Amino acid sequence: MNNIIICRCEEVTEEEIREAILSGCTTVNEIKRKTRAGMGLCQGRTCRKLVEKVFADETGIEMEKIQPSTYRSPVRPVPISNFEEDDN
Amino acid sequence: MGRGYDVIIIGSGIIGLSSGYYLSKSGKKVLVLEKKDIGNGASGSCDDAILLQSKKPGIVLEMALESIDMYRGLSDELGTDLEFMSPGAMILIETEDDLRIMEDFVIEQKKCGLEVEIVGKKQVKKKQPHVSEGVIASTYSAIDAQVNPLRVMFAFANRGKELGMQIKKNAEVVSIDRNGSGDWTIGTANGERYVAETVINAAGPWAPFIGKMVGIEIPIKPKRGQIAVTEQVPPLGETNVWSADYIVSKLNPGKAKKREKVLEDLGVGFSFTRTADGNCFIGSTREYVGYNKNTTFEALQIMVSQAARFFPVMNNVSIIRSFAGLRPACQDGKPIIGEVATLPGFFIAAGHEGDGIALAPVTGKIINNLVLGRTNSLDIEELNFDRFQRKEGGVA
Ligand SMILES: Cc1cc2nc3c(=O)[nH]c(=O)nc-3n(C[C@H](O)[C@H](O)[C@H](O)COP(=O)(O)OP(=O)(O)OC[C@H]3O[C@@H](n4cnc5c(N)ncnc54)[C@H](O)[C@@H]3O)c2cc1C
Ligand code: FES
C-alpha cells in the first residue's frame, strides 16, 4: 500500500496513479484525465514532476522521453475581477 | 490475411467507446484504434451538460431523452460513479424581446413532451440567489442533467475491456481497403494491419479524413469551443445556467444582427456549470479555426466578464485554467449515424457537435442495433449519410 499524496491539490495518492497505469493509462495526460492529478489549484506545478516520476517507475519509460502533460493559460490563478480591468 | 475482428472502431472518443462497449456486450469481437490516447479529441475537452432545453423538437431531442434514461442506470451497469446528476437547468433571460421568443420556444418543446417552463424574477432569485438584477425571467427544467465525460469514457473503456474489447493507442488509421473476401483491411501509421467485417468511423472532427480513405466526402468541420475553469467553489445556485441571448440569436436571425459583433464572430453563448468537484466551467465559443485548439485571451475575457455580469460574486473567484476543444460540427447540425449505402459494412457515428456527451449512450445503442441488423425504436432514417449524397447527386 502506498498512500503517499502525489497531488496535494486534488489529493491523489501514488497508489491511485499506479492503479491508473495498471488499468491502461499510457500517457501522463491520460493519468490526469483519469485521476485529476494536476487539475488542481496549482495546475500541476507541485505534482507534475512527481506524477512523471511514478509513471517512469511503473512503465520503465525514461523521464526524458515522457511527453509532459498539456497546460494552458492562466498558469497562475487570476481573479475574475482582474480580467475585466485589463482591457487588452 | 484473415479476419481478426468482427468490428473495428476508428477513434476512442466517447462515441467510439460507447459503440465499442455495447458491441462487446453483444458478443462482438471489437478493436478500437486510436491515433493518440483516450481523451485526445472533443470528449476530453468539453462541458458536462446533458441539456435538453436547448434542443429544437425533433430526432436529436428524442435521442437526448432516451440517452438521459440510459445514463440513470449506467453508473451501476459500468460499476463506476459517472457523477451523473440532475440539478436541472435555467436559461437566463435579460430582455422583453428575448422573453417573447423563449416563451414560444418553450411551448414548442412542451408539445414534444419536454417538461420546461418560464419562471418570473422572484422564482429566479429563489433558485439563483446570486443572480444579477438584470435578469428578468428564466426558463427552468428539472430534467436537465450532467455527467463527467472523462469518467464515462474510462468506464466504457474498462468495462469494454473486461468484455474482450481491445484498444490500441498510438494507432493512427491511414488506409482502409476492401479485400477480396469483402472484409475491410485497416492500415495504421506504424505499419500494422487489421481485418474486420465491419468498420465504424467514430473519429469525431477528424471523420472526414477517414471518409477520404474510402472515397466519400463527409461534411463535418471542427468548431472550436473555449472554456475557462474556476477554482473550486461552493454552489452558487440550484441549477446550471445558460443565457438566452445566444439561443435566441439562433432562433431569430434578426436578433443575431443586433448582437455585438465580437459576440457573433466568436459565437459566444454563455454557459455556466459546476462540476461534482466544485470547479465551475464558464463557456463557450463556436469558432471555425481549423484544428487549432489554443485558447485566446479575447474570448476568455468576454466569457468571464459575462459570468461576473450574471453573478457579481464571481468577481472574487479565480480562473485556474482554460482549455479548448473541437466540436465535430456537421453541415446540417445533425449527427451522421448509420451504414453508408454504397459501402456495405462501413458505418459512420460522428458529427455530434455540442451534444456528443449527452448522446453517447443512445448512439452506442443505435450502432449496436444497426450492426446486429436489429431495428431501432427511434426512427433514425434522417441521420443517414445518404442525405448528403441525395442532395448533391439529385437522385432520390
Ligand atoms: C467546448 C465544448 C463544450 C462542449 N460541451 C458539451 C456539453 O455540455 N454536452 C455535450 O453533450 N457535448 C458537449 N460538447 C460536444 C462533445 O464534446 C462532442 O460532441 C463529443 O465529445 C464528440 O465525441 P466523438 O467521440 O465523436 O469525438 P472525439 O472525442 O473528438 O473523438 C474522436 C477520436 O478519434 C481519434 N482519431 C482521429 N483521427 C484518427 C485516426 N486517423 N485514427 C485513429 N483515431 C483517430 C481522435 O484522436 C479522437 O480521440 C462540447 C464540446 C466542446 C468542444
Ligand atoms: S499538486 Fe497537483 S494540481 Fe496542485
Side-chain angles (χ1 to χ4, degrees):
Chain A
M1 282 294 230
N2 200 336
N3 284 326
I4 297 173
I5 301 256
I6 296 287
C7 172
R8 274 186 269 158
C9 299
E10 293 288 329
E11 293 183 13
V12 184
T13 63
E14 179 172 342
E15 198 191 350
E16 285 173 287
I17 290 171
R18 289 191 192 272
E19 271 169 16
I21 298 164
L22 291 177
S23 82
C25 289
T26 48
T27 60
V28 275
N29 261 330
E30 273 188 351
I31 294 175
K32 175 160 114 180
R33 291 173 194 138
K34 175 129 194 180
T35 66
R36 296 188 54 83
M39 286 202 191
L41 190 61
C42 82
Q43 284 299 293
R45 269 197 308 285
T46 321
C47 63
R48 189 175 299 130
K49 278 281 164 252
L50 293 171
V51 173
E52 287 174 13
K53 231 159 128 186
V54 177
F55 184 73
D57 181 56
E58 190 69 47
T59 59
I61 299 172
E62 289 161 50
M63 282 289 272
E64 302 76 52
K65 297 211 172 118
I66 295 174
Q67 178 100 21
S69 69
T70 38
Y71 49 103
R72 292 203 182 84
S73 68
V75 281
R76 271 166 217 286
V78 182
I80 285 187
S81 51
N82 284 15
F83 270 91
E84 289 178 287
E85 281 153 25
D86 202 35
D87 46 12
N88 55 64
Chain B
M1 196 171 167
R3 184 194 293 173
Y5 300 90
D6 296 319
V7 183
I8 290 179
I9 297 175
I10 304 171
S12 72
I14 199 163
I15 299 297
L17 291 172
S18 171
S19 306
Y21 165 70
Y22 287 104
L23 284 162
S24 302
K25 204 174 137 192
S26 296
K28 290 286 173 192
K29 194 167 179 211
V30 177
L31 171 68
V32 181
L33 294 174
E34 165 56 49
K35 169 165 84 170
K36 235 174 134 189
D37 55 7
I38 293 180
N40 178 50
S43 318
S45 344
C46 61
D47 257 322
D48 53 1
I50 308 175
L51 185 66
L52 302 174
Q53 277 195 64
S54 59
K55 317 240 163 342
K56 284 193 196 148
I59 180 72
V60 174
L61 180 56
E62 285 166 34
M63 283 171 72
L65 282 164
E66 179 161 348
S67 226
I68 226 170
D69 267 344
M70 293 174 76
Y71 265 127
R72 285 201 183 96
L74 210 52
S75 289
D76 280 345
E77 182 177 332
L78 300 176
T80 307
D81 177 9
L82 303 177
E83 294 175 354
F84 174 83
M85 299 180 278
S86 305
M90 301 174 79
I91 300 177
L92 306 178
I93 301 167
E94 293 172 288
T95 68
E96 292 291 338
D97 285 348
D98 287 3
L99 177 57
R100 269 191 295 277
I101 292 172
M102 290 309 287
E103 276 170 346
D104 292 343
F105 190 44
V106 161
I107 291 171
E108 285 303 307
Q109 289 178 317
K110 272 188 173 159
K111 277 191 208 150
C112 201
L114 188 67
E115 284 169 48
V116 53
E117 58 183 321
I118 300 268
V119 296
K121 197 161 179 170
K122 228 165 123 194
Q123 274 282 338
V124 178
K125 273 275 178 195
K126 221 171 114 199
K127 292 190 186 299
Q128 300 291 345
H130 293 286
V131 83
S132 86
E133 290 302 320
V135 173
I136 60 165
S138 168
T139 69
Y140 170 70
S141 169
I143 189 177
D144 287 317
Q146 70 192 80
V147 71
N148 182 331
L150 295 170
R151 284 187 171 238
V152 176
M153 276 196 288
F154 285 113
F156 276 140
N158 289 342
R159 256 325 264 143
K161 277 194 253 174
E162 285 166 22
L163 295 166
M165 176 168 93
Q166 280 174 263
I167 303 178
K168 290 226 156 64
K169 293 182 262 188
N170 280 318
E172 179 179 3
V173 170
V174 292
S175 67
I176 305 174
D177 296 290
R178 176 86 83 179
N179 66 25
S181 50
D183 286 341
W184 299 99
T185 301
I186 313 281
T188 64
N190 35 22
E192 280 151 12
R193 291 161 88 73
Y194 305 96
V195 178
E197 183 182 11
T198 302
V199 176
I200 296 166
N201 175 0
W206 296 274
F209 296 109
I210 306 298
K212 283 217 174 74
M213 295 174 200
V214 289
I216 56 173
E217 291 273 335
I218 301 177
I220 290 177
K221 279 205 279 183
K223 199 190 258 191
R224 183 170 72 182
Q226 305 190 38
I227 288 184
V229 184
T230 72
E231 61 185 307
Q232 295 176 351
V233 292
L236 274 191
E238 279 177 29
T239 75
N240 291 325
V241 305
W242 275 259
S243 102
D245 181 54
Y246 176 75
I247 294 171
V248 171
S249 76
K250 288 277 118 176
L251 294 171
N252 181 332
K255 155 105 187 183
K257 279 190 217 124
K258 278 189 246 151
R259 275 181 106 210
E260 237 180 279
K261 186 171 176 325
V262 52
L263 290 185
E264 253 332 87
D265 287 351
L266 292 173
V268 176
F270 177 67
S271 68
F272 185 79
T273 70
R274 184 172 174 274
T275 66
D277 297 288
N279 301 95
C280 294
F281 281 19
I282 302 171
S284 69
T285 58
R286 287 155 191 80
E287 308 158 83
Y288 288 113
V289 286
Y291 291 87
N292 176 338
K293 276 204 281 187
N294 295 333
T295 56
T296 64
F297 184 76
E298 182 191 28
L300 296 181
Q301 189 178 33
I302 290 175
M303 297 186 310
V304 301
S305 307
Q306 285 190 330
R309 177 156 64 86
F310 281 110
F311 297 102
V313 291
M314 288 301 292
N315 271 312
N316 309 321
V317 173
S318 288
I319 299 299
I320 60 168
R321 73 188 151 101
S322 63
F323 64 83
L326 304 171
R327 300 182 190 83
C330 189
Q331 186 181 292
D332 63 0
K334 280 182 281 193
I336 306 173
I337 303 175
E339 189 171 14
V340 177
T342 51
L343 301 166
F346 185 90
F347 291 71
I348 301 175
H352 294 69
E353 195 170 339
D355 296 320
I357 308 309
L359 301 180
V362 70
T363 302
K365 187 175 152 186
I366 291 172
I367 285 290
N368 179 48
N369 284 338
L370 291 173
V371 171
L372 266 62
R374 295 187 196 146
T375 44
N376 275 295
S377 53
L378 290 169
D379 182 8
I380 49 148
E381 186 61 35
E382 62 181 295
L383 301 182
N384 218 298
F385 173 70
D386 303 342
R387 67 186 191 258
F388 302 108
Q389 292 188 321
R390 268 198 297 268
K391 244 181 257 159
E392 279 153 29
V395 252

